[in-house]
Amino acid sequence: MVTGASSGIGEAAVRALRASGWDVLGVARRADRLEALAQETGAAVFAADLTSPADVDALAAHVEATGGVAALVHVAGGARGSDRVEDGDAGDWTWMFDVNVLSAQRLVKALLPQLRDAIRSGSGHADTLFVTSTASQVAYPGGGGYNAAKAAEMMLVRALRQELNGEPIRVIEIAPGMVHTEEFTLNRLGDQAAADALYEGVDGVLVAEDVADVIAYALNAPGHVNLDSVTMRPVAQSAQHILARGPLKPRD
């Protein structure tokens, strides 16, 4: 199962996993985009809002009725606004916590029994993989709400890994830095020009397919190998706050 499958990293993950032989269920809110993805890739799809407990329950029932699940790839999430902490909109912060943290907890609670059943049925191991962000690692001005939400999601992942110790269930975190996708920054800033300016002049910015390649590698690695936490950035971004613009080249 791949969440956030209607665009960006989630959509790319569906394509990468299908290409490497997985049966995939793509999950997102937008049914029309899911149907187009299903036609192109052969993936199964299910429309659900992961901030809705009722939708998550319906999703879990659908998965169980259609054969269960051996790997959960949770990509769905997002950011709203770039306000300073003192100017922040509590509604935006609540939404970010719901979509990034509580959705992850809801999915784990709903699907962990089925992941265990998959192991008992002969899968050998099961997988949970969460796409967080380098925003979970380093704070920056205007990022307080997203920093807090992604840091909370990161801690959820690390607690889960310890709680599942002794079971053959991998708990994997992929934390991307700057990734140029169709919607993430546009949805956050609400302005196409501002979104485009963020990536302007960055040589070799990551794209969704780069992250999807790492997701597929993590799931296709031998079952005893757990990629606890992978931080990935474009070479031009050597740290959260250090970004080169213009061509990368050796110094004279």
Side-chain angles (χ1 to χ4, degrees), residues 13-192:
V14 170
R15 297 181 188 279
L17 291 170
R18 287 291 295 147
S20 62
W22 286 79
D23 294 328
V24 178
L25 174 66
V27 178
R29 291 179 295 104
R30 293 175 289 184
D32 56 337
R33 297 188 68 139
L34 288 177
E35 289 301 331
L37 182 63
Q39 291 294 322
E40 293 175 28
T41 65
V45 295
F46 189 89
D49 180 350
L50 300 180
T51 67
S52 164
D55 277 19
V56 173
D57 288 344
L59 171 61
H62 173 79
V63 171
E64 186 172 21
T66 54
V69 63
L72 165 63
V73 179
H74 184 42
V75 182
R80 280 187 179 173
S82 56
D83 296 328
R84 292 162 55 94
V85 172
E86 64 184 304
D87 301 319
D89 184 321
D92 288 345
W93 285 52
T94 299
W95 179 87
M96 285 187 280
F97 196 85
D98 200 0
V99 75
N100 290 289
V101 186
L102 296 182
S103 64
Q105 189 273 333
R106 291 186 189 104
L107 286 169
V108 169
K109 184 174 183 177
L111 296 176
L112 198 52
Q114 296 190 48
L115 293 169
R116 290 179 172 129
D117 285 344
I119 298 168
R120 296 185 188 104
S121 298
S123 68
H125 70 276
D127 292 298
T128 60
L129 186 153
F130 303 84
V131 176
T132 61
S133 170
T134 55
S136 69
Q137 303 169 0
V138 179
Y140 54 90
Y146 189 57
N147 291 142
K150 281 302 185 183
E153 184 183 5
M154 175 186 68
M155 287 301 173
L156 179 154
V157 173
R158 295 183 179 186
L160 179 66
R161 186 180 300 116
Q162 295 176 50
E163 290 166 358
L164 296 182
N165 181 251
E167 300 187 63
I169 302 175
R170 299 190 292 194
V171 182
I172 301 160
E173 178 196 3
I174 310 297
M178 176 176 274
V179 184
H180 192 182
T181 61
E182 175 186 3
E183 295 183 320
F184 178 85
T185 303
L186 176 60
N187 289 341
R188 181 178 194 176
L189 301 179
D191 179 83
Q192 188 65 62

